[in-house]
């Protein structure tokens, strides 16, 4: 007997028929009718018209019928709130039933009816159920508090349910403890600063006891809660680790990964020379490997997390390379992740194996995967110097296959290899040039052009090659145009006699016929450089470039630390801090790994740390491969020595910030050809180099309580540069709103009026939340204080943060 | 926590939805369907997706997508594990997990989902507990119910729910007391062109079927427990005893369950039961190719290799095949381009061979990729890792149970590159 018969009545009078059946005297007929109603509901049909008739069936001693009516109620109460009130009495009565199953069912269902009027009646039964003698009822009631909180948070606080819930953490039944923890964690998520889960050694002990006895799901909640605790010392840390380790052998992979999170975090506190530390490291590998034999969806999440773990502690999986070898019928999302981890684990010891595998993958069917495999070969060359030669010859083999996308990928990575090992593999250039015509992707074209420009002196027909690209200049993508411009200038500096015409042609194409400001600016810079001081031009354009770093796409260390604290969560899958994507959680606390007690190294919390200045080990700025190509300022102009001060470590936000325009370029332009070109235009640009540092505080202060530290004002725009207007300012956070506070001083002789402010697109998405309120006019020698509220919903430019501010007064 | 669940068919129809909190419009699935469209092959849909307001976590099983929607940060593994548990439960209740069977049993499905999750928190996921609360459909029972007015829903609190052994119900009674254990091992391996092992490991599980009266306390011990360094257990296994004595001590759930799974890693030497000699080549011109495959026994520990089968996904340009098999039969599916050779038992005296020509599209270039061979096989009465159960003891009950252990080795993802 199946339920399909419930769908068969599709005639006109269906609702009418059901109504009659629902009001039947026969129990059995009633039940069948309710089943039909539910069946219609599940497929999305609207059966809300039957509300009163279904609710009438509620008063029954038949448990199945009761459950079915409850199901219906949960679905439709919202749309029929007045009718739903009719059900309240039955609920209240059921909460007193001698059968705990019915008591629990009633309180559970009441919590699911999201109608304000009903929730008022829910409080009393809920209070009783939270103290019920039966643990099954108590554990159901615990979850109900979370439901109620979702509907009416204020009510839950007023009624003191939160305290009752906290008491349940000490309940004698482990299942009740687990549910209380789960409910509290969920509530805490919407109250980031409420300190609901006040963890202390006593509660931790209770949680650890419950951990052994509760269900697998409860274990996940408890482990995730444990991960938020910071042990007092390394001994406590070790004892927690010891009690959590058995969870690594659980059949449920979510339990395993949550346990891994706790261990990865608490391990930080153990002294490295401790025997236990080594034991723990060894214990972590097998469960991670086992996760990879599970269903592909589980594998994917596991791999994303393993990617973080191997970056933080490569030693754990260094001998497990083979488990990451790709099977041809793995889903593509698993293949790509495995490949990434293979490269991270590549070392001198296993590089031969890895290369053989990668070469195998490069002949697979899936284009995305093949591309990534080719790229991976290049990354191996960069990472393991001893293998570079083998990698290059493998890449050349692949180029010989003439498979178009393989050739293009190979050329892109060979360019990176040149940058890592200059003057070593240039013999292959000839082979590369043979494939020039087949390149149709911008990245590959740009890479090839870079190679030709960089090694122009060794390529006899470099000018012809570059000229051939020039014909379709305006149809090329920006990336290629910029690269072509730079390459021809390089060529000119190397072979000035034959290429005069070519360079003039490209400069005029870039400056006069292009609408792209980047291209124009770069064109002008070259033009002026060349016309003013060719020697300086040579020094700038042909300067020795810094070698690219070994690992190209490592996650920035502070972010990595935060992500390690979030192992097993969505953040770990996206590789982004929760603050970057969890809605409405501006106040999400940034988690940090605890410092190691053994080494005595104290890790400052991000909230206070950023103001203190430079951290112990400044993170290296690692530009990704794509940026290297496109970024003129980084690559071509800035001499290695002035690559900017190491940015202070900030929480979450990745600020690889250097004020390139403010520092390097401004002085360059000043020295190079007198007045900066912008000076001729009416608006002037004010580099906010000082302000940028302050911005870091802003980033660090995201989780900061109100009224906290704000840095003193610094001069952003001296009067000399600002035509008499001096601006000093700072950023502060007041009442949860970011404010830009400025003092405007008129040091000129005339009155200033009509102030306006404009924000360039910046990486923080900062934009004025209101107009600039300046009580004009500003007479000479007068100062005024202006406070401008800012929002962070402006357009975001994902680049190296350049934050130029333009304030425009009319004189 | 888990907010809503949508069941989506292979072709993209949403045929069931269930919400555990407020109702989320099914239009949220558009993001999923878009990703599905983009991925082409349903297996390639990324399991974790992000939309402007929701997170979508999905699994693909038995040609169905189980799509869950959440609003807040949740551990994705928890969701995925739960979804698989839902699929397992359907399988367990209805014998299969398909669109038609779910549609036929919507009310039971709905009741089950309601019982499995409360407000997004798992409530009862143990099959034993669920079956006490919601009885599986069964023709005899519905006849009885109609006559007596009984119901499919249990009226009392499941006894196991609150005890220290939530997985076992109380008051179990059998006339024949029996306990069977199946040691099943799967070999995952990649062999390269020349037959060298690139990678090999063994995934093992011990599936149990225990039908014992009362509250038996079992102890299972192995001849060579040292093999097992990477294990995961059913919650019933006492971890402390394993750590100290290397025995499995547990109060079993009633019925079928997976006692433990283990993993013998590539660090140890893994025996490869068969070798494959193959040559698949395509001519540069002339739109044809040759295929020649021979399979022979390698390390079979003297046991017979059965159910031997070779699957080869051919390049897209292959139009037809003209082969002769010395043993078994072969089929070539023209649409999927999969060549399947069903061999059966492997006779060591007369090795099976498949040989002949392949014809490809005229004018198409020589295929760039090399097809991989996928091998399926089965060896009865052998656990290829060498694992052996030495004894099973029962405490806590007086009767003498009937005990049995079976071993079987299968090929898991066993691939030969060409």
């Amino acid at each position: 007997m199946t339920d399909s018969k419930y769908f068969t009545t599709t005639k006109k009078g269906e609702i009418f028929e059901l109504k009659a059946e629902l009001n039947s005297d026969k129990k059995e007929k009633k039940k069948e009718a309710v089943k039909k109603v539910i069946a219609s509901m599940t497929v999305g049909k609207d059966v809300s018209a039957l509300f009163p008739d279904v609710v009438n069936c509620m008063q029954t001693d038949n448990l199945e019928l009761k459950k079915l009516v409850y199901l219906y109620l949960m679905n439709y109460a919202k749309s029929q709130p007045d009718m739903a009130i009719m059900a309240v009495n039955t609920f209240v009565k059921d909460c007193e039933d001698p059968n705990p199953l019915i008591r629990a069912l009633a309180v559970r269902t009441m919590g699911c009816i999201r109608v304000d009027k009903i929730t008022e009646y829910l409080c009393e039964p809920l209070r009783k159920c939270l103290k019920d003698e039966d643990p099954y009822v108590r554990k159901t009631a615990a979850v109900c508090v979370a439901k109620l909180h979702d509907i009416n948070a204020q009510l839950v606080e007023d009624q003191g349910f939160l305290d009752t819930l906290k008491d349940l953490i000490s309940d004698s039944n482990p299942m009740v403890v687990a549910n209380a923890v789960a409910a509290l964690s969920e509530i805490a998520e919407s109250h980031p600063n409420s300190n609901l889960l006040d963890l202390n050694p006593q509660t931790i002990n209770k949680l650890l006891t419950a951990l052994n006895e509760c269900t697998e799901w409860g274990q996940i909640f408890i482990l995730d809660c444990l991960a938020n605790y910071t042990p007092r010392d390394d001994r406590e840390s070790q004892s927690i680790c010891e009690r959590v380790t058995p969870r690594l052998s659980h059949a449920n992979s979510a339990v395993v990964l949550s346990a891994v999170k706790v261990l990865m975090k608490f391990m930080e506190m153990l002294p490295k020379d401790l025997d236990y530390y080594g034991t723990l490291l060894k214990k972590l590998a097998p469960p991670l490997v086992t996760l990879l034999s599970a269903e592909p969806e589980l594998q994917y999440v596991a791999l994303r997390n393993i990617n973080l773990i191997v970056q933080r502690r490569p030693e754990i999986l260094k001998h497990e390379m083979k488990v990451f070898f790709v099977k041809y019928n793995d889903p593509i999302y698993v293949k790509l992740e495995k490949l990434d981890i293979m490269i991270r684990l590549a070392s001198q010891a296993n590089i031969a194996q890895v290369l053989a595998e990668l070469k195998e993958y490069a002949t697979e069917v899936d284009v995305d995967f093949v591309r990534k495999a080719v790229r991976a070969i290049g990354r191996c060359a960069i990472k393991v110097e001893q293998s570079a030669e083998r990698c290059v010859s493998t890449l050349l083999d692949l180029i010989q296959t003439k498979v178009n996308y393989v050739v293009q990928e190979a050329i892109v990575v060979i360019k990176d290899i040149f940058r890592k090992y200059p003057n070593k593999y240039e013999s292959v250039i000839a082979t590369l040039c043979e494939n020039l015509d087949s390149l149709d992707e911008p990245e590959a074209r740009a890479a090839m052009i870079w190679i030709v420009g960089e090694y122009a002196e060794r390529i006899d027909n470099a000018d012809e090659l570059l000229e051939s690209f020039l014909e379709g200049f305006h149809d090329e993508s920006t990336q290629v145009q910029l690269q072509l411009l730079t390459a021809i200038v390089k060529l000119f500096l190397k072979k000035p006699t034959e290429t005069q015409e070519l360079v003039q042609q490209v400069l005029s194409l870039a400056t006069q016929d292009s609408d792209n400001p980047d291209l124009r600016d770069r064109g002008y810079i070259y033009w002026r450089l060349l016309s003013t001081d060719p020697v300086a031009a040579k020094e700038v354009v042909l300067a020795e470039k810094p070698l690219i770093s070994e690992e190209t796409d490592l996650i920035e260390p502070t972010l990595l630390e935060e992500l390690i604290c979030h192992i097993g969560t969505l953040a770990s899958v996206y590789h982004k801090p929760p603050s970057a994507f969890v809605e409405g959680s501006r106040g999400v606390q940034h988690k940090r790994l605890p410092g190691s007690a053994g080494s005595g190294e104290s890790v400052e919390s991000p909230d206070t740390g950023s103001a203190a200045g430079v951290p112990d080990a400044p993170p290296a700025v690692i530009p990704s491969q794509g940026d290297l190509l496109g970024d003129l300022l980084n690559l071509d102009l800035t001499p290695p020595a002035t690559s900017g001060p190491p940015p202070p470590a900030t929480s979450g936000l990745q600020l690889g910030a250097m004020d390139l325009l403010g520092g390097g370029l401004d002085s360059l332009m000043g020295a190079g050809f007198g007045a900066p070109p912008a000076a001729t235009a009416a608006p002037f640009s004010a580099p906010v180099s000082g302000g940028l540092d302050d911005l870091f505080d802003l980033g660090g202060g995201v989780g900061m309580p109100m009224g906290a530290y704000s840095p003193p004002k610094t001069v952003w725009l001296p009067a000399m540069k600002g035509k008499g207007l001096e601006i000093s300012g700072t950023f502060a956070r007041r009442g949860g709103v970011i404010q830009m506070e400025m003092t405007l001083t008129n040091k000129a002789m005339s009155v200033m009026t009509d102030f306006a402010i404009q924000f360039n697109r910046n990486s923080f998405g900062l934009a004025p939340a209101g107009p600039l309120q300046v009580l004009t006019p500003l007479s000479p020698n007068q100062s005024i204080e202006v406070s401008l509220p800012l929002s962070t919903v402006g357009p975001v430019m994902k680049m190296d943060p350049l934050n130029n501010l333009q304030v425009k007064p009319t004189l | 926590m888990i907010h809503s669940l949508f069941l989506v068919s292979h072709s993209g129809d949403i045929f069931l939805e269930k919400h555990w909190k407020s109702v989320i419009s099914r239009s949220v699935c558009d993001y999923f369907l878009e990703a599905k469209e983009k991925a082409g092959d349903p297996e390639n849909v990324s399991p974790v997706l992000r939309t402007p307001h929701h997170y979508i976590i999905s699994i693909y099983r038995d040609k169905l997508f189980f799509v869950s929607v959440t609003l807040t940060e949740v551990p994705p593994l928890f969701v995925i594990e739960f979804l698989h548990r839902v699929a397992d439960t359907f399988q367990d209740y209805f014998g299969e997990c398909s669109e038609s069977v779910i549609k036929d049993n919507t009310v039971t499905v709905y009741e089950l989902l309601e019982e499995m999750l409360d407000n997004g928190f798992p409530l009862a996921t143990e099959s034993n507990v669920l079956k006490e609360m919601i009885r599986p459909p069964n023709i005899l029972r519905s006849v009885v119910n109609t006559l007596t007015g009984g119901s499919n829903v249990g009226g009392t609190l499941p006894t196991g729910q609150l005890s220290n052994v939530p997985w076992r119900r109380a008051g179990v009674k059998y006339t024949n007391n029996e306990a069977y254990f199946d040691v099943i091992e799967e070999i995952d391996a990649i062999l390269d062109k020349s037959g060298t092992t690139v990678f090999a490991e063994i995934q093992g599980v011990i599936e149990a079927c225990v039908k014992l009266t009362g509250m038996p306390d079992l102890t299972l011990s192995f001849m060579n427990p040292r093999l097992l360094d990477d294990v995961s257990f059913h919650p019933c296994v006492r971890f402390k005893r394993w750590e100290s004595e290397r025995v499995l001590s547990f109060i079993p759930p009633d019925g079928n369950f997976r006692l433990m799974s283990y993993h013998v890693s590539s660090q140890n030497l893994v025996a490869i039961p068969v070798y494959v000699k193959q040559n698949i080549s395509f001519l540069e011109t002339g739109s044809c190719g040759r295929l020649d495959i021979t399979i022979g026994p390698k390390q079979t520990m003297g046991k017979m290799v059965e159910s031997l089968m070779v699957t080869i996904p051919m390049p897209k340009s292959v139009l037809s095949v003209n082969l002769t098999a010395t043993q078994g039969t072969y089929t070539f599916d023209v649409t999927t381009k999969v060549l399947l050779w069903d061999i059966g038992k492997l006779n060591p005296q007369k090795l099976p061979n498949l040989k002949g020509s392949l014809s490809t599209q005229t004018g198409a270039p020589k295929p760039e990729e090399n097809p991989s061979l996928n091998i399926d096989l089965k060896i009865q009465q052998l656990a290829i890792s060498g694992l052996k159960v030495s004894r099973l003891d029962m405490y806590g009950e007086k009767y003498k149970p009937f005990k049995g252990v079976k071993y079987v080795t299968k090929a898991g993802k066993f691939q030969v590159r060409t």
Side-chain angles (χ1 to χ4, degrees), chain A residues 3 147 253 290 570 583, chain B residues 53 73 81 104 118 230 415:
Chain A
D3 295 344
K147 293 182 193 169
S253 60
T290 303
L570 287 164
E583 264 189 6
Chain B
H53 302 285
E73 169 75 84
E81 279 276 0
D104 283 350
D118 177 23
D230 182 3
Q415 304 182 349

Side-chain angles (χ1 to χ4, degrees), chain A residues 10 79 96 119 121 144 164 181 199 244 271 285 347 372 378 380 399 422 463 469 479 499 503 508 617 638 654 706 799:
Chain A
T10 48
S79 55
E96 310 268 335
T119 44
Y121 294 99
C144 191
T164 324
V181 168
L199 298 174
V244 166
S347 66
K372 194 156 180 175
C380 284
I399 288 177
D463 48 343
F469 282 104
Q479 190 184 12
T499 55
V503 81
S508 98
T638 318
Q654 270 182 288
M706 284 173 232
M799 275 182 63

Side-chain angles (χ1 to χ4, degrees), chain A residues 727-749:
Chain A
I727 303 175
S728 53
T730 184
F731 291 91
R733 188 180 174 84
R734 298 193 200 289
V737 180
I738 306 166
Q739 301 268 1
M740 185 162 82
E741 302 190 335
M742 293 181 291
T743 310
L744 308 180
T745 312
N746 185 351
K747 295 202 170 170
M749 305 303 286

Side-chain angles (χ1 to χ4, degrees), chain A residues 169 171-175 177-178 201-215 219 222 226 243-244 247, chain B residues 164:
Chain A
I169 292 189
D171 198 280
S172 56
N173 185 294
M175 253 82 82
V177 177
Q202 285 76 41
T203 47
I204 289 294
N205 202 24
K206 279 174 192 147
L207 290 182
L208 285 168
T209 313
L211 182 62
N212 287 326
E213 290 165 17
C214 68
T215 66
Q219 294 183 13
I222 292 181
L226 276 177
R243 293 177 69 177
V244 166
R247 298 300 120 207
Chain B
N164 282 333

Side-chain angles (χ1 to χ4, degrees), chain A residues 1-4 6-7 28 31 35 38-39 41-44 62-64 67-68 71 74-75 99-101 108 112 114 134-136 139-140 143 146-147 150 173 175 182-183 186 189 216-217 220-221 224 246 249-254 257 283 286-287 289-290 293 295 297-298 300-301 319-320 322-323 325-333 357 360-361 363-365 403 405 568-571 573-574 576 578 580-583, chain B residues 1 15-18 20-23 26 43-50 52-53 55 57-60 70 72-78 80-82 84-85 103-108 110-111 114-115 118-119 121-123 125-126 133 139 142 149-158 161-163 188 190 193 198-199 201 203 229-235 239 243 263 266-267 311 313 368-370 372 374 413 415 417-418:
Chain A
M1 197 168 92
T2 69
D3 295 344
S4 58
Y6 302 130
F7 292 111
E28 203 47 38
K31 197 166 85 184
K35 277 195 174 185
I38 302 277
M41 190 177 84
T42 53
V43 292
N62 183 319
L63 193 64
E64 186 181 21
K67 275 187 166 184
L68 290 170
L71 272 178
M74 282 186 247
N75 219 21
N99 183 345
L101 191 64
R108 189 173 122 202
C112 293
R114 309 174 61 86
D134 194 307
Y136 183 76
K139 92 175 182 152
T140 314
V143 174
K147 293 182 193 169
D150 192 31
N173 185 294
M175 253 82 82
E186 191 179 76
E189 211 169 300
E216 49 194 316
W217 313 108
I220 302 171
F221 299 133
D224 284 346
S249 298
H250 202 285
N252 186 320
S253 60
L257 202 57
K283 281 195 172 162
V289 170
T290 303
S293 51
E295 287 83 357
E297 298 94 1
L298 297 170
Y300 171 73
V301 176
H319 298 301
E320 302 290 345
K322 283 186 173 177
V323 298
F325 285 1
V326 173
K327 296 176 183 110
Y328 81 90
N329 47 6
D330 282 335
I332 181 74
Y333 56 82
E357 280 293 304
E360 196 72 45
Y361 304 159
T363 60
E364 278 229 21
V365 199
V403 178
Y405 53 85
T569 66
L570 287 164
V573 175
Y574 299 135
K576 282 187 180 143
F581 62 89
V582 176
E583 264 189 6
Chain B
M1 296 297 115
F15 64 91
L16 192 126
E17 56 185 286
K18 165 81 186 139
W20 284 277
K21 294 186 176 183
S22 53
V23 175
R26 57 166 70 187
E43 266 125 37
N44 284 339
V45 183
S46 175
V48 185
L49 297 172
R50 198 174 136 192
H53 302 285
Y55 309 105
I57 301 174
S58 64
I59 63 164
Y60 182 66
T70 78
T72 48
E73 169 75 84
V74 294
L77 275 188
F78 150 72
I80 294 172
E81 279 276 0
F82 178 79
H84 277 292
R85 210 61 63 86
K103 275 186 173 165
D104 283 350
N105 295 285
T106 37
V107 177
T108 315
Y110 223 58
E111 285 173 334
E114 185 58 35
E115 219 46 69
D118 177 23
N119 195 38
F121 301 110
L123 198 60
T125 51
E126 285 288 336
M133 295 201 278
I139 292 176
S142 22
S151 113
N152 281 333
V153 172
T156 49
L157 194 61
Q161 274 277 44
L162 297 163
S163 67
D188 284 352
I190 303 175
K193 269 190 204 62
V198 175
F199 158 81
E201 62 180 11
Q203 312 288 352
D229 60 345
D230 182 3
V231 285
S232 27
F233 298 122
H234 188 277
F239 191 72
E243 284 278 84
H263 178 250
S266 44
Q267 309 290 335
T311 318
E368 284 147 13
E369 75 272 8
N370 298 323
S372 286
N374 217 20
K413 286 184 170 173
Q415 304 182 349
R417 291 175 179 161
T418 62

Side-chain angles (χ1 to χ4, degrees), chain A residues 382 415-422 450 454-455 490 539-550 552 620-625 627-629 631-644 658 660:
Chain A
I382 290 165
K415 177 215 68 190
D416 286 335
I417 297 178
F418 284 170
R419 291 226 34 219
K420 170 77 179 176
Y421 310 109
W450 183 87
E454 188 65 16
Y455 299 99
K490 281 184 193 163
E539 274 171 26
V540 171
V541 179
L542 302 179
E544 203 172 306
K545 281 157 284 292
L547 296 184
I548 55 175
S549 48
E550 281 187 10
T552 36
V621 181
I622 302 156
S624 72
Q625 292 173 337
D627 290 348
L628 279 177
L629 253 187
D631 197 344
L632 160 87
L633 296 162
N634 223 350
L635 174 62
D636 294 328
L637 276 182
T638 318
T642 61
S643 61
M658 294 182 273
L660 295 163

